[in-house]
PDB file of all heavy atoms in Angstrom:
ATOM      1  N   ALA S  95      93.938  98.106  84.588  1.00 98.00           N
ATOM      2  CA  ALA S  95      92.904  99.121  84.396  1.00 98.00           C
ATOM      3  C   ALA S  95      92.710  99.967  85.658  1.00 98.00           C
ATOM      4  O   ALA S  95      92.272 101.141  85.576  1.00 98.00           O
ATOM      5  CB  ALA S  95      91.589  98.482  84.009  1.00 98.00           C
ATOM      6  N   ALA S  96      93.027  99.427  86.793  1.00 97.00           N
ATOM      7  CA  ALA S  96      92.855 100.143  88.067  1.00 97.00           C
ATOM      8  C   ALA S  96      94.035 101.038  88.403  1.00 97.00           C
ATOM      9  O   ALA S  96      93.999 101.800  89.382  1.00 97.00           O
ATOM     10  CB  ALA S  96      92.652  99.123  89.207  1.00 97.00           C
ATOM     11  N   GLN S  97      95.107 101.016  87.585  1.00 98.00           N
ATOM     12  CA  GLN S  97      96.264 101.846  87.859  1.00 98.00           C
ATOM     13  C   GLN S  97      96.067 103.244  87.315  1.00 98.00           C
ATOM     14  O   GLN S  97      95.436 103.434  86.279  1.00 98.00           O
ATOM     15  CB  GLN S  97      97.520 101.207  87.220  1.00 98.00           C
ATOM     16  CG  GLN S  97      97.773  99.780  87.633  1.00 98.00           C
ATOM     17  CD  GLN S  97      97.792  99.552  89.127  1.00 98.00           C
ATOM     18  OE1 GLN S  97      98.521 100.244  89.851  1.00 98.00           O
ATOM     19  NE2 GLN S  97      97.034  98.568  89.599  1.00 98.00           N
ATOM     20  N   ASN S  98      96.689 104.184  88.002  1.00 96.00           N
ATOM     21  CA  ASN S  98      96.626 105.578  87.595  1.00 96.00           C
ATOM     22  C   ASN S  98      98.037 106.025  87.172  1.00 96.00           C
ATOM     23  O   ASN S  98      98.822 106.440  87.985  1.00 96.00           O
ATOM     24  CB  ASN S  98      96.085 106.454  88.699  1.00 96.00           C
ATOM     25  CG  ASN S  98      95.966 107.964  88.288  1.00 96.00           C
ATOM     26  OD1 ASN S  98      95.986 108.244  87.101  1.00 96.00           O
ATOM     27  ND2 ASN S  98      95.934 108.811  89.271  1.00 96.00           N
ATOM     28  N   GLY S  99      98.350 105.870  85.894  1.00 96.00           N
ATOM     29  CA  GLY S  99      99.653 106.276  85.400  1.00 96.00           C
ATOM     30  C   GLY S  99     100.535 105.135  85.040  1.00 96.00           C
ATOM     31  O   GLY S  99     100.166 103.958  85.074  1.00 96.00           O
ATOM     32  N   PRO S 100     101.822 105.430  84.666  1.00 97.00           N
ATOM     33  CA  PRO S 100     102.764 104.422  84.228  1.00 97.00           C
ATOM     34  C   PRO S 100     102.954 103.297  85.241  1.00 97.00           C
ATOM     35  O   PRO S 100     103.000 103.556  86.460  1.00 97.00           O
ATOM     36  CB  PRO S 100     104.066 105.206  84.016  1.00 97.00           C
ATOM     37  CG  PRO S 100     103.615 106.611  83.778  1.00 97.00           C
ATOM     38  CD  PRO S 100     102.379 106.803  84.624  1.00 97.00           C
ATOM     39  N   THR S 101     103.123 102.098  84.721  1.00 98.00           N
ATOM     40  CA  THR S 101     103.105 100.890  85.571  1.00 98.00           C
ATOM     41  C   THR S 101     104.225  99.923  85.142  1.00 98.00           C
ATOM     42  O   THR S 101     104.470  99.773  83.932  1.00 98.00           O
ATOM     43  CB  THR S 101     101.772 100.174  85.489  1.00 98.00           C
ATOM     44  OG1 THR S 101     100.724 101.073  85.895  1.00 98.00           O
ATOM     45  CG2 THR S 101     101.729  98.932  86.318  1.00 98.00           C
ATOM     46  N   VAL S 102     104.866  99.317  86.090  1.00 98.00           N
ATOM     47  CA  VAL S 102     105.817  98.201  85.807  1.00 98.00           C
ATOM     48  C   VAL S 102     105.044  96.908  85.992  1.00 98.00           C
ATOM     49  O   VAL S 102     104.451  96.698  87.029  1.00 98.00           O
ATOM     50  CB  VAL S 102     107.025  98.234  86.720  1.00 98.00           C
ATOM     51  CG1 VAL S 102     107.964  97.071  86.435  1.00 98.00           C
ATOM     52  CG2 VAL S 102     107.792  99.570  86.587  1.00 98.00           C
ATOM     53  N   LEU S 103     105.061  96.046  84.989  1.00 98.00           N
ATOM     54  CA  LEU S 103     104.356  94.760  85.031  1.00 98.00           C
ATOM     55  C   LEU S 103     105.389  93.657  85.208  1.00 98.00           C
ATOM     56  O   LEU S 103     106.342  93.512  84.391  1.00 98.00           O
ATOM     57  CB  LEU S 103     103.565  94.557  83.733  1.00 98.00           C
ATOM     58  CG  LEU S 103     102.687  93.320  83.644  1.00 98.00           C
ATOM     59  CD1 LEU S 103     101.656  93.261  84.773  1.00 98.00           C
ATOM     60  CD2 LEU S 103     101.978  93.269  82.281  1.00 98.00           C
ATOM     61  N   VAL S 104     105.208  92.846  86.266  1.00 98.00           N
ATOM     62  CA  VAL S 104     106.243  91.866  86.665  1.00 98.00           C
ATOM     63  C   VAL S 104     105.605  90.483  86.711  1.00 98.00           C
ATOM     64  O   VAL S 104     104.493  90.288  87.235  1.00 98.00           O
ATOM     65  CB  VAL S 104     106.802  92.201  88.069  1.00 98.00           C
ATOM     66  CG1 VAL S 104     107.984  91.315  88.385  1.00 98.00           C
ATOM     67  CG2 VAL S 104     107.192  93.693  88.131  1.00 98.00           C
ATOM     68  N   GLY S 105     106.307  89.450  86.169  1.00 98.00           N
ATOM     69  CA  GLY S 105     105.781  88.119  86.220  1.00 98.00           C
ATOM     70  C   GLY S 105     106.835  87.106  86.702  1.00 98.00           C
ATOM     71  O   GLY S 105     108.013  87.203  86.315  1.00 98.00           O
ATOM     72  N   HIS S 106     106.411  86.189  87.553  1.00 98.00           N
ATOM     73  CA  HIS S 106     107.279  85.095  87.996  1.00 98.00           C
ATOM     74  C   HIS S 106     106.839  83.785  87.348  1.00 98.00           C
ATOM     75  O   HIS S 106     105.649  83.482  87.297  1.00 98.00           O
ATOM     76  CB  HIS S 106     107.181  84.939  89.522  1.00 98.00           C
ATOM     77  CG  HIS S 106     107.875  83.702  90.049  1.00 98.00           C
ATOM     78  ND1 HIS S 106     107.209  82.640  90.605  1.00 98.00           N
ATOM     79  CD2 HIS S 106     109.222  83.370  90.058  1.00 98.00           C
ATOM     80  CE1 HIS S 106     108.056  81.729  90.951  1.00 98.00           C
ATOM     81  NE2 HIS S 106     109.270  82.121  90.647  1.00 98.00           N
ATOM     82  N   SER S 107     107.764  83.057  86.799  1.00 96.00           N
ATOM     83  CA  SER S 107     107.521  81.714  86.227  1.00 96.00           C
ATOM     84  C   SER S 107     106.428  81.784  85.154  1.00 96.00           C
ATOM     85  O   SER S 107     106.565  82.488  84.158  1.00 96.00           O
ATOM     86  CB  SER S 107     107.144  80.766  87.366  1.00 96.00           C
ATOM     87  OG  SER S 107     107.119  79.452  86.929  1.00 96.00           O
ATOM     88  N   TRP S 108     105.309  81.069  85.369  1.00 97.00           N
ATOM     89  CA  TRP S 108     104.166  81.128  84.447  1.00 97.00           C
ATOM     90  C   TRP S 108     103.700  82.573  84.252  1.00 97.00           C
ATOM     91  O   TRP S 108     103.214  82.949  83.164  1.00 97.00           O
ATOM     92  CB  TRP S 108     103.033  80.246  84.978  1.00 97.00           C
ATOM     93  CG  TRP S 108     101.645  80.640  84.506  1.00 97.00           C
ATOM     94  CD1 TRP S 108     100.666  81.243  85.245  1.00 97.00           C
ATOM     95  CD2 TRP S 108     101.083  80.420  83.226  1.00 97.00           C
ATOM     96  NE1 TRP S 108      99.547  81.422  84.507  1.00 97.00           N
ATOM     97  CE2 TRP S 108      99.779  80.913  83.251  1.00 97.00           C
ATOM     98  CE3 TRP S 108     101.574  79.849  82.040  1.00 97.00           C
ATOM     99  CZ2 TRP S 108      98.922  80.881  82.128  1.00 97.00           C
ATOM    100  CZ3 TRP S 108     100.728  79.810  80.928  1.00 97.00           C
ATOM    101  CH2 TRP S 108      99.421  80.303  80.992  1.00 97.00           C
ATOM    102  N   GLY S 109     103.839  83.384  85.256  1.00 98.00           N
ATOM    103  CA  GLY S 109     103.425  84.781  85.157  1.00 98.00           C
ATOM    104  C   GLY S 109     104.147  85.506  84.040  1.00 98.00           C
ATOM    105  O   GLY S 109     103.638  86.528  83.528  1.00 98.00           O
ATOM    106  N   GLY S 110     105.304  85.025  83.596  1.00 98.00           N
ATOM    107  CA  GLY S 110     105.996  85.642  82.468  1.00 98.00           C
ATOM    108  C   GLY S 110     105.185  85.489  81.195  1.00 98.00           C
ATOM    109  O   GLY S 110     105.200  86.365  80.322  1.00 98.00           O
ATOM    110  N   VAL S 111     104.509  84.334  81.019  1.00 98.00           N
ATOM    111  CA  VAL S 111     103.646  84.117  79.865  1.00 98.00           C
ATOM    112  C   VAL S 111     102.509  85.119  79.918  1.00 98.00           C
ATOM    113  O   VAL S 111     102.118  85.723  78.878  1.00 98.00           O
ATOM    114  CB  VAL S 111     103.111  82.687  79.822  1.00 98.00           C
ATOM    115  CG1 VAL S 111     102.235  82.449  78.627  1.00 98.00           C
ATOM    116  CG2 VAL S 111     104.257  81.677  79.854  1.00 98.00           C
ATOM    117  N   VAL S 112     101.963  85.327  81.103  1.00 98.00           N
ATOM    118  CA  VAL S 112     100.801  86.223  81.263  1.00 98.00           C
ATOM    119  C   VAL S 112     101.184  87.667  80.938  1.00 98.00           C
ATOM    120  O   VAL S 112     100.447  88.324  80.210  1.00 98.00           O
ATOM    121  CB  VAL S 112     100.246  86.095  82.675  1.00 98.00           C
ATOM    122  CG1 VAL S 112      99.081  87.059  82.891  1.00 98.00           C
ATOM    123  CG2 VAL S 112      99.815  84.668  83.015  1.00 98.00           C
ATOM    124  N   ILE S 113     102.316  88.134  81.448  1.00 98.00           N
ATOM    125  CA  ILE S 113     102.687  89.523  81.169  1.00 98.00           C
ATOM    126  C   ILE S 113     103.110  89.732  79.735  1.00 98.00           C
ATOM    127  O   ILE S 113     103.004  90.816  79.192  1.00 98.00           O
ATOM    128  CB  ILE S 113     103.757  90.034  82.150  1.00 98.00           C
ATOM    129  CG1 ILE S 113     105.116  89.384  81.899  1.00 98.00           C
ATOM    130  CG2 ILE S 113     103.329  89.831  83.602  1.00 98.00           C
ATOM    131  CD1 ILE S 113     106.264  90.071  82.692  1.00 98.00           C
ATOM    132  N   THR S 114     103.606  88.682  79.084  1.00 98.00           N
ATOM    133  CA  THR S 114     103.931  88.753  77.677  1.00 98.00           C
ATOM    134  C   THR S 114     102.676  89.062  76.848  1.00 98.00           C
ATOM    135  O   THR S 114     102.695  89.893  75.951  1.00 98.00           O
ATOM    136  CB  THR S 114     104.561  87.435  77.165  1.00 98.00           C
ATOM    137  OG1 THR S 114     105.816  87.266  77.814  1.00 98.00           O
ATOM    138  CG2 THR S 114     104.771  87.429  75.673  1.00 98.00           C
ATOM    139  N   GLU S 115     101.575  88.448  77.246  1.00 98.00           N
ATOM    140  CA  GLU S 115     100.302  88.621  76.526  1.00 98.00           C
ATOM    141  C   GLU S 115      99.596  89.907  76.936  1.00 98.00           C
ATOM    142  O   GLU S 115      99.008  90.628  76.121  1.00 98.00           O
ATOM    143  CB  GLU S 115      99.376  87.436  76.812  1.00 98.00           C
ATOM    144  CG  GLU S 115      98.030  87.492  76.147  1.00 98.00           C
ATOM    145  CD  GLU S 115      98.027  87.117  74.676  1.00 98.00           C
ATOM    146  OE1 GLU S 115      99.055  86.551  74.222  1.00 98.00           O
ATOM    147  OE2 GLU S 115      97.065  87.385  73.962  1.00 98.00           O
ATOM    148  N   ALA S 116      99.690  90.255  78.229  1.00 98.00           N
ATOM    149  CA  ALA S 116      98.930  91.405  78.776  1.00 98.00           C
ATOM    150  C   ALA S 116      99.700  92.708  78.713  1.00 98.00           C
ATOM    151  O   ALA S 116      99.112  93.822  78.877  1.00 98.00           O
ATOM    152  CB  ALA S 116      98.512  91.121  80.216  1.00 98.00           C
ATOM    153  N   GLY S 117     101.009  92.666  78.422  1.00 98.00           N
ATOM    154  CA  GLY S 117     101.832  93.810  78.612  1.00 98.00           C
ATOM    155  C   GLY S 117     101.768  94.894  77.592  1.00 98.00           C
ATOM    156  O   GLY S 117     102.419  95.920  77.719  1.00 98.00           O
ATOM    157  N   ASN S 118     100.982  94.693  76.532  1.00 96.00           N
ATOM    158  CA  ASN S 118     100.837  95.765  75.511  1.00 96.00           C
ATOM    159  C   ASN S 118      99.945  96.906  75.972  1.00 96.00           C
ATOM    160  O   ASN S 118      99.778  97.874  75.240  1.00 96.00           O
ATOM    161  CB  ASN S 118     100.273  95.154  74.211  1.00 96.00           C
ATOM    162  CG  ASN S 118     101.400  94.646  73.303  1.00 96.00           C
ATOM    163  OD1 ASN S 118     102.538  94.977  73.508  1.00 96.00           O
ATOM    164  ND2 ASN S 118     101.046  93.873  72.331  1.00 96.00           N
ATOM    165  N   ASP S 119      99.389  96.771  77.137  1.00 96.00           N
ATOM    166  CA  ASP S 119      98.585  97.860  77.703  1.00 96.00           C
ATOM    167  C   ASP S 119      99.371  99.174  77.700  1.00 96.00           C
ATOM    168  O   ASP S 119     100.541  99.213  78.067  1.00 96.00           O
ATOM    169  CB  ASP S 119      98.152  97.491  79.121  1.00 96.00           C
ATOM    170  CG  ASP S 119      97.151  98.447  79.732  1.00 96.00           C
ATOM    171  OD1 ASP S 119      97.549  99.620  80.036  1.00 96.00           O
ATOM    172  OD2 ASP S 119      95.982  98.102  79.888  1.00 96.00           O
ATOM    173  N   PRO S 120      98.748 100.299  77.241  1.00 96.00           N
ATOM    174  CA  PRO S 120      99.493 101.555  77.170  1.00 96.00           C
ATOM    175  C   PRO S 120     100.016 102.039  78.513  1.00 96.00           C
ATOM    176  O   PRO S 120     100.984 102.872  78.548  1.00 96.00           O
ATOM    177  CB  PRO S 120      98.478 102.517  76.579  1.00 96.00           C
ATOM    178  CG  PRO S 120      97.142 101.863  76.768  1.00 96.00           C
ATOM    179  CD  PRO S 120      97.403 100.429  76.725  1.00 96.00           C
ATOM    180  N   LYS S 121      99.466 101.592  79.620  1.00 97.00           N
ATOM    181  CA  LYS S 121      99.970 102.017  80.918  1.00 97.00           C
ATOM    182  C   LYS S 121     101.307 101.330  81.289  1.00 97.00           C
ATOM    183  O   LYS S 121     101.998 101.839  82.163  1.00 97.00           O
ATOM    184  CB  LYS S 121      98.929 101.713  82.024  1.00 97.00           C
ATOM    185  CG  LYS S 121      97.682 102.572  81.945  1.00 97.00           C
ATOM    186  CD  LYS S 121      96.740 102.192  83.078  1.00 97.00           C
ATOM    187  CE  LYS S 121      95.452 103.022  83.036  1.00 97.00           C
ATOM    188  NZ  LYS S 121      94.493 102.642  84.069  1.00 97.00           N
ATOM    189  N   VAL S 122     101.597 100.199  80.657  1.00 98.00           N
ATOM    190  CA  VAL S 122     102.796  99.458  81.010  1.00 98.00           C
ATOM    191  C   VAL S 122     104.042 100.140  80.477  1.00 98.00           C
ATOM    192  O   VAL S 122     104.220 100.275  79.266  1.00 98.00           O
ATOM    193  CB  VAL S 122     102.696  98.003  80.494  1.00 98.00           C
ATOM    194  CG1 VAL S 122     104.006  97.273  80.772  1.00 98.00           C
ATOM    195  CG2 VAL S 122     101.544  97.269  81.154  1.00 98.00           C
ATOM    196  N   LYS S 123     104.874 100.548  81.400  1.00 97.00           N
ATOM    197  CA  LYS S 123     106.125 101.243  81.052  1.00 97.00           C
ATOM    198  C   LYS S 123     107.249 100.240  80.732  1.00 97.00           C
ATOM    199  O   LYS S 123     108.078 100.471  79.837  1.00 97.00           O
ATOM    200  CB  LYS S 123     106.551 102.140  82.186  1.00 97.00           C
ATOM    201  CG  LYS S 123     107.815 102.931  81.942  1.00 97.00           C
ATOM    202  CD  LYS S 123     108.117 103.871  83.098  1.00 97.00           C
ATOM    203  CE  LYS S 123     109.304 104.778  82.767  1.00 97.00           C
ATOM    204  NZ  LYS S 123     109.549 105.752  83.880  1.00 97.00           N
ATOM    205  N   SER S 124     107.277  99.155  81.485  1.00 98.00           N
ATOM    206  CA  SER S 124     108.336  98.156  81.302  1.00 98.00           C
ATOM    207  C   SER S 124     107.879  96.821  81.879  1.00 98.00           C
ATOM    208  O   SER S 124     106.895  96.751  82.655  1.00 98.00           O
ATOM    209  CB  SER S 124     109.635  98.623  81.955  1.00 98.00           C
ATOM    210  OG  SER S 124     109.425  98.922  83.303  1.00 98.00           O
ATOM    211  N   LEU S 125     108.617  95.784  81.517  1.00 98.00           N
ATOM    212  CA  LEU S 125     108.321  94.420  81.919  1.00 98.00           C
ATOM    213  C   LEU S 125     109.466  93.847  82.703  1.00 98.00           C
ATOM    214  O   LEU S 125     110.651  94.102  82.373  1.00 98.00           O
ATOM    215  CB  LEU S 125     108.038  93.510  80.724  1.00 98.00           C
ATOM    216  CG  LEU S 125     106.984  93.942  79.718  1.00 98.00           C
ATOM    217  CD1 LEU S 125     107.072  93.111  78.432  1.00 98.00           C
ATOM    218  CD2 LEU S 125     105.609  93.799  80.368  1.00 98.00           C
TER     219      LEU S 125
END
Side-chain angles (χ1 to χ4, degrees):
Q97 306 307 309
N98 182 19
T101 301
V102 178
L103 184 59
V104 189
H106 171 248
S107 190
W108 155 254
V111 181
V112 179
I113 70 170
T114 294
E115 180 79 15
N118 271 346
D119 187 288
K121 290 181 181 178
V122 175
K123 181 176 185 177
S124 55
L125 304 168

